[in-house]
Amino acid sequence: MNADTFIVDGRAYSWRRLCELRRAQIEAQNRARLRQLALFELREDSRPVTERTAADRYLQPSLLDLAHQSG
């Protein structure tokens, strides 16, 4: 038996061939990842910093302040 070969459950495997297959698998996975299209166009968030997260909007409710000033 070749030093490159190992046996698992009675079947002989080539370590070199196994490594080649794994490299090809990783390369195909990387190519697929690069070709993945975006679901939507990424836009810049133009809101003030204090209104970008739900927690900040809850802590500093500017919409309610504007409603009270106009009413």
Side-chain angles (χ1 to χ4, degrees):
M1 181 169 25
N2 190 351
D4 178 50
T5 306
F6 61 97
I7 298 176
V8 176
D9 291 334
R11 296 187 63 193
Y13 295 93
S14 167
W15 182 254
R16 186 174 297 134
R17 180 70 179 135
L18 184 67
C19 289
E20 289 171 4
L21 291 173
R22 181 62 180 146
R23 281 188 208 103
Q25 186 181 38
I26 291 171
E27 185 179 324
Q29 186 179 23
N30 289 339
R31 280 194 311 265
R33 189 177 300 137
L34 293 174
R35 286 185 279 137
Q36 184 176 4
L37 301 175
L39 296 176
F40 51 89
E41 180 183 344
L42 183 61
R43 297 184 183 183
E44 188 66 30
D45 192 354
S46 60
R47 295 178 288 187
V49 175
T50 58
E51 295 180 4
R52 290 185 184 173
T53 66
D56 287 337
R57 288 191 296 272
Y58 177 77
L59 293 173
Q60 301 173 8
S62 62
L63 179 63
L64 296 177
D65 292 341
L66 293 173
H68 289 292
Q69 290 173 359
S70 63

